[in-house]
Structure formats: structure tokens, C-alpha cells
Amino acid sequence: MDDNEREAIEAFLAPTPAEAMRQAASQGVLPMPPGFVGYLAGYILQHAIRPVREVAVVAALGIMAGLAGREWTTFTNSGLNLYIVLVARSAVGKEAMHTGIATVMRAVEAHHPAARDAFDFSEYASGPALIKGINLHPCLLNIMGEIGHKFLAMSKGKESALNSLRKTLTDLYSKSGSSGIVGGLSYSSQDNNIQSAEAVAYSLVGETTPGTFYQSITDEMMSDGFMSRFLVIQYEGDRPPENPAPQHVPPVEMVKWLAGIAQHATTMRTRQVFCAVPPLPDAKQRLDAFRDECDRHINEAGDDERLRQLWSGRT
């Protein structure tokens, strides 16, 4: 990349004065991500009726995981899939996560129809149903409303279908990357068999309220590694003022950029090509420091599987 190209990209990503003012006036304490993801989160913030940074960042990360979570991997050969739970009180603007993702999805789909396959608003009822879904679409963002109620039902452990779903979600998270395989299921009738899935990147974003979410967490869900898969982002602020001029139509440049990513991912998937993304030196330094911190906490946890899983799920 030459200097002219770099300057053009930086100019494209830089927020306009009006956008910067809206971001500054929005609610939330979570910093906006750098680069294109921050630009995408900035649009979702402008799109929202009640702008909250945490909501916008969760939506932006989800979109990128859905489009680029499989074909691009970390330097450790793990996919870029994410499980994120957005926790916030009711009536503060959580619905912008859903509307923001849907608006961007429809705009990108107009340029690259196959991008629609990366987004799924379905609610899977069991583990086998989820495996069938990812066999059809190996790079998938599942958007779920009121996910806390699903967790609460899982915590009771009474329904075998939900137990299988929890087990599959736990297993799927770490089976991304080019060498990952999620086991299928065999039945006495071959017509009911479910094929194993290879190199999948299943991502999940959901929102819930604090009371429902924290009520749903059990010792078993902590000790079996289920909850440690999730990145929990909580907004504790008040209901933000209404956005006087929400931006309903995504910027054309942003949509074309996302469509280009989706097109490239489709081409790589057809050719079964994966691209490992090396970290920048400062990022590698932070990752190493965090890995060492996780190792220390795991060693200090002794036989407490809840704490061991909590920290092992972060690396």
C-alpha cells in the first residue's frame, strides 16, 4: 500500500465533524474500535433511535464476524467467530443491534446476494438443528433477541433439546479455523443422520436484561465452559436522548467495502483457501500479556473448575 492509498483510506474512515459530534453525544463508556469496524459502529450509532456505543460496537463486531469469521483466521489458526451478550436495561435502545445489522445486511445483499447467507435471525431449538444450519452456511452470524430467557431455560436442565443446544454451542466456539470439525449425529435410521461440519465459524450475538441474564447463570454453566465462551458487554447508563435525525441509508462507500469483503470470502470459500492474520507488534504484546494473566489465574484456581473455565475460555 503506497502513501496515496493509505491517505485515501484514512480519509474514508475519518468521521465527519457531524459524525464526531453524534458519537460524542451518544451514551456509553465503551471506546469505539479503530479502523473500519469503528466506522461501521459509527454508522450504526447514527442509525439508532437511541444511540448507545455498546449497542453499536456489538452490532459492528457481529457483522464482521458473520462476513469474515471463517476465511480469515488468527495466527493460532482459530476462526474470528464471536459469542457476545449485550446486557442492558429495557427501553435504552438495545433494538438498534437488530435494526442496525438488518439494515447493513440488506444493503450489502443488494451488491452481493450471497452475503445474506451470513446472517441468521432464526432461533435454533436444539443442537442437531444448529449443526444442520451451519452445514448449509459454514460462516454464520446468529442474531438472537432476549437471549437471557434462552439461558434461563437452559439453566433449569429439564429439556433435552436445550441441553443438546448448550453442548453444541460450547463445542462450536472452539471448532472454528481450517482444521476444526464438529461431530455429526448417527441414528438407527440413516435418513435422520446429521453430517459433521468442517471449518465452521458460527457467531452469536444476543441481548438481554441484567436481571434475566444473571439469574440464568449456574455453577454448571460456568464449570462446563459454556459461559466462558461469551464476551459480555454491559451498558449501565440511562435511556439516551432520541436521535433527532437517524441515518437510515448506509453510506455507499461502507456498503461497497463490506460487499467486497463478502465477495472475497465467497471466492476463498469456493477454493477452500484460508488467510491467517498476524497481529501487529503492539497487539501481540498485549495478547502475550493477557495470555500470561490467564495462565496465572488458571494456576491460582486450583481445582475450582468454574474459575479455570472462566480464564481458559479467554485464550
Side-chain angles (χ1 to χ4, degrees):
M1 180 185 299
D2 60 30
D3 291 340
N4 291 333
E5 290 175 323
R6 185 176 292 105
E7 290 176 2
I9 290 175
E10 289 175 352
F12 166 56
L13 295 178
T16 65
E19 291 168 352
M21 288 180 65
R22 289 189 191 183
Q23 291 183 19
S26 64
Q27 297 292 316
V29 298
L30 191 67
M32 298 294 278
F36 180 76
V37 178
Y39 182 85
L40 176 58
Y43 163 70
I44 295 171
L45 200 64
Q46 297 166 44
H47 165 84
I49 300 297
R50 304 279 177 177
V52 175
R53 293 186 193 181
E54 283 79 355
V55 176
V57 171
V58 168
L61 290 174
I63 290 170
M64 295 307 298
L67 293 176
R70 180 180 185 271
E71 278 63 45
W72 289 270
T73 67
T74 68
F75 65 100
T76 60
N77 195 32
S78 294
L80 303 182
N81 58 310
L82 296 168
Y83 288 5
I84 308 178
V85 178
L86 172 66
V87 180
R89 291 177 291 177
S90 59
V92 298
K94 295 193 298 295
E95 65 276 3
M97 183 190 81
H98 301 272
T99 60
I101 292 174
T103 299
V104 172
M105 176 199 73
R106 285 192 290 266
V108 175
E109 182 184 5
H111 290 262
H112 182 61
R116 177 64 181 85
D117 294 337
F119 301 92
D120 189 354
F121 292 83
S122 303
E123 184 171 329
Y124 290 97
S126 67
L130 179 54
I131 293 177
K132 285 183 179 179
I134 60 172
N135 265 316
L136 293 174
H137 306 298
C139 188
L140 185 69
L141 171 67
N142 194 190
I143 304 98
M144 191 178 298
E146 294 297 341
I147 196 172
H149 290 292
K150 178 74 77 173
F151 288 173
L152 195 58
M154 288 179 180
S155 70
K156 300 183 186 303
K158 295 180 179 179
E159 298 183 34
S160 59
L162 288 178
N163 290 336
S164 72
L165 179 60
R166 190 175 99 187
K167 182 179 183 300
T168 300
L169 286 171
T170 304
D171 195 32
L172 267 178
Y173 180 82
S174 57
K175 295 300 175 61
S176 61
S178 59
S179 58
I181 299 177
V182 180
L185 295 171
S186 297
Y187 296 93
S188 56
S189 173
Q190 292 187 0
D191 293 338
N192 296 328
N193 288 351
I194 298 175
Q195 185 179 359
S196 60
E198 299 184 11
V200 298
Y202 170 80
S203 294
L204 172 64
V205 295
E207 44 84 10
T208 186
T209 56
T212 304
F213 177 68
Y214 291 110
Q215 183 184 356
S216 71
I217 300 175
T218 65
D219 283 350
E220 184 179 357
M221 293 170 76
M222 294 297 296
S223 61
D224 68 7
F226 176 71
M227 287 308 305
S228 67
R229 266 62 173 171
F230 286 87
L231 174 63
V232 180
I233 296 180
Q234 183 163 356
Y235 170 64
E236 299 179 311
D238 294 330
R239 176 178 167 93
E242 185 172 308
N243 182 355
Q247 185 176 345
H248 299 298
V249 180
V252 175
E253 296 85 356
M254 184 190 79
V255 173
K256 288 183 177 179
W257 195 316
L258 287 169
I261 293 173
Q263 175 66 61
H264 197 48
T266 300
T267 302
M268 293 171 69
R269 193 169 308 152
T270 302
R271 299 174 180 175
Q272 284 297 304
V273 174
F274 297 86
C275 178
V277 181
L280 295 173
D282 60 333
K284 183 64 165 60
Q285 187 176 12
R286 294 187 182 190
L287 286 170
D288 289 345
F290 184 58
R291 178 204 59 209
D292 293 342
E293 181 183 358
C294 290
D295 290 348
R296 177 173 59 81
H297 283 291
I298 290 171
N299 289 330
E300 291 174 350
D303 294 330
D304 190 334
E305 285 298 326
R306 296 168 301 175
L307 292 178
R308 295 184 71 88
Q309 288 285 356
L310 177 65
W311 289 100
S312 64
R314 301 302 175 194
T315 57

